[in-house]
Amino acid sequence: MLGFVIGGIFQIFHHFKIGDIQQLEELNPTIFFLVMLPPIIFESGYSLHKGNFFSNLGSIVIFAVLGTAISAFTVGAGLWILGQAKISYLLTAKQSFGFGALISAVDPVATLAIFSAIDVHPTLYMLVFGESVLNDAVSIVMTDTIIHFNDTEAGAAIGSAIGEFFLSFSMSGVVASSSLWFSLSFSNMSHCRRHPR
């Protein structure tokens, strides 16, 4: 109902040409990636059981990185091939693989809710949850890498993409580690453990 009311207000503003509503309602991707997404990822990382996560880290990373890459490549290649065969909308290879990378991250909210309800083994739950947390980051980095492709030779483009992917992934780790170090240093200096509430 609220969406209906807000949509009606936007239509009235658009009809009477009051302001540029379309520009106001567009979400800047930079705002999304730098302001809205980090708290969501932080909350997921903060609430997960660290012991199960780190004991299964190898499997989780394999599922997240390789699974997301396979999914992105399969969807992108399939979309490009279907476009070339005039079965679907014709997209460039960059657009096809960008779309494949964009939709390759899957959030298994319903699966995790069912897992909680039927009380599955904690290792299975952590594999699915950890993969869902990491595949979001992998998908963001892959999409950003593909979007910034230059129209160069295929071999150079693939090498550039792999290098940019690992650079972006490692720099994200550096920023996260620096933020963690700053937070822990501040927490230690403020003596939060002595006065928890």
Side-chain angles (χ1 to χ4, degrees):
M1 183 69 178
L2 180 63
F4 179 74
V5 171
I6 291 173
I9 292 170
F10 280 179
Q11 285 298 325
I12 292 169
F13 281 5
H14 181 69
H15 179 71
F16 292 110
K17 296 182 179 20
I18 303 172
D20 188 8
I21 297 301
Q22 281 186 328
Q23 184 179 4
L24 291 175
E25 69 185 16
E26 287 180 6
L27 179 64
N28 187 347
T30 305
I31 297 293
F32 176 75
F33 284 128
L34 296 179
V35 176
M36 298 173 74
L37 191 61
I40 295 169
I41 294 174
F42 178 77
E43 191 279 328
S44 296
Y46 187 76
S47 65
L48 77 104
H49 187 269
K50 276 83 173 155
N52 282 343
F53 180 78
F54 286 111
S55 66
N56 297 305
L57 186 61
S59 301
I60 291 171
V61 169
I62 288 172
F63 288 144
V65 175
L66 287 180
T68 305
I70 290 169
S71 173
F73 180 77
T74 304
V75 170
L79 191 59
W80 184 74
I81 290 169
L82 290 174
Q84 295 300 314
K86 308 269 193 265
I87 295 173
S88 72
Y89 190 76
L90 182 63
L91 297 174
T92 65
K94 180 178 174 179
Q95 292 169 337
S96 299
F97 286 102
F99 182 74
L102 182 68
I103 66 165
S104 61
V106 179
D107 288 325
V109 175
T111 304
L112 292 173
I114 291 171
F115 280 0
S116 293
I118 62 173
D119 198 31
V120 298
H121 195 275
T123 303
L124 176 61
Y125 183 86
M126 188 51 58
L127 286 173
V128 174
F129 180 75
E131 189 271 339
S132 73
V133 169
L134 292 184
N135 79 357
D136 290 342
V138 170
S139 178
I140 289 168
V141 170
M142 285 178 63
T143 304
D144 189 49
T145 302
I146 291 171
I147 286 173
H148 291 97
F149 257 174
N150 293 329
D151 295 324
T152 58
E153 199 175 297
I158 291 172
S160 172
I162 291 171
E164 189 173 329
F165 176 81
F166 283 114
L167 177 68
S168 180
F169 208 73
S170 62
M171 291 312 293
S172 298
V174 168
V175 169
S177 299
S178 301
S179 300
L180 178 65
W181 178 82
F182 177 76
S183 299
L184 289 174
S185 297
F186 178 76
S187 174
N188 199 15
M189 284 190 278
S190 64
H191 305 294
C192 289
R193 287 179 291 182
R194 293 185 194 160
H195 309 288
R197 295 205 179 236

